Amino acid sequence: LVGPSGSGKSTCSKLAARFWDAGSGTITVGGVDVSTVDPEVLLGDFAAVFQDVLLFDDTVMGNIRLGRRDATDEEVLAAARAANCDEFVERMPQGYRTMIGENGSRLSGGERQRISIARALLKGAPVVLLDEATASLDVEALSRLLAGKTVIVIAHRMRTVMSADKVVVLEEGRVAEQGSPADLMAKGGLFARMVGLQTQSAEWAL
């Protein structure tokens, strides 16, 4: 999902997971109307990594284990390594046993998001929602998170979605265009213009 700020990207992803119910129309996942599925059951099939990460006043280990409460310590640590948590946890006084404060107050925004990503990896749900979370992952970790999954990526950087199967371009709450990245580039519409603008910005930055 790409588009200008305020175009409805986050709203679409949260409607899919039934964080809210739509006022009209039907939202289906796998052909099933999500309004007919108990929210708790539906959320069991989703792993979400949003920009507004929710953490608890617990240890790093405890916050990651929320992804799957019956996970072993080894499984939690494997998910943490895949999300590149080791590099900042190693600097903490008690490592993965360090308390992180209310909503991760002792961590930076990037560190908080990596814990959220580790939690999603540990959960192993079939549907993954990523709200511009890919910058915190290396390629190997990203491939582990996405392998065999249905993934909805909310992207502000166009390079993030250039390998996607399908791109949906939103504008003012409506679908402006959709298709493969190559098709949309060839079309020369809004997606192609957004890619062009970001490419120019990157070149100017250099």
Side-chain angles (χ1 to χ4, degrees):
L1 300 174
V2 302
S5 295
S7 59
K9 301 183 294 295
S10 292
T11 300
C12 282
S13 69
K14 290 177 179 178
L15 284 170
R18 205 182 173 191
F19 284 31
W20 312 304
D21 282 328
S24 62
T26 303
I27 298 169
T28 62
V29 174
V32 177
D33 183 344
V34 297
S35 69
T36 67
V37 182
D38 182 273
E40 290 293 324
V41 174
L42 184 66
L43 281 175
D45 287 333
F46 281 81
V49 181
F50 293 122
Q51 291 178 317
D52 49 342
V53 177
L54 178 62
L55 299 177
F56 297 92
D57 188 11
D58 196 351
T59 64
V60 177
M61 181 86 76
N63 271 279
I64 295 173
R65 185 173 268 118
L66 289 173
R68 184 158 52 85
R69 293 183 183 276
D70 62 349
T72 65
D73 285 356
E74 290 73 18
E75 289 171 326
V76 173
L77 293 172
R81 283 192 295 272
N84 292 331
C85 292
D86 276 354
E87 65 180 62
F88 71 86
V89 173
E90 287 172 355
R91 301 193 298 268
M92 293 181 164
Q94 294 176 283
Y96 282 94
R97 305 291 179 185
T98 304
M99 299 292 290
I100 62 173
E102 188 67 35
N103 203 25
S105 59
R106 297 173 187 168
L107 305 174
S108 69
E111 290 167 351
R112 293 170 68 247
Q113 192 170 68
R114 289 188 187 198
I115 289 177
S116 180
I117 290 166
R119 186 189 295 169
L121 280 166
L122 184 66
K123 185 172 184 179
V127 184
V128 181
L129 305 178
L130 291 176
D131 189 350
E132 197 53 273
T134 52
S136 298
L137 283 170
D138 63 18
V139 174
E140 181 180 358
L142 186 61
S143 66
R144 289 183 189 179
L145 178 61
L146 306 187
K149 316 280 187 194
T150 296
V151 186
I152 301 174
V153 178
I154 300 167
H156 304 284
R157 291 186 290 271
M158 298 301 101
R159 62 180 176 79
T160 302
V161 298
M162 295 310 286
S163 61
D165 297 309
K166 181 179 182 179
V167 175
V168 178
V169 185
L170 298 174
E171 186 176 29
E172 297 182 354
R174 297 181 178 275
V175 175
E177 53 191 25
Q178 57 185 312
S180 70
D183 289 344
L184 294 180
M185 287 299 293
K187 184 178 178 181
L190 178 58
F191 179 76
R193 291 197 299 274
M194 293 173 71
V195 171
L197 286 171
Q198 290 196 359
T199 302
Q200 289 176 11
S201 296
E203 291 172 350
W204 291 335
L206 295 174

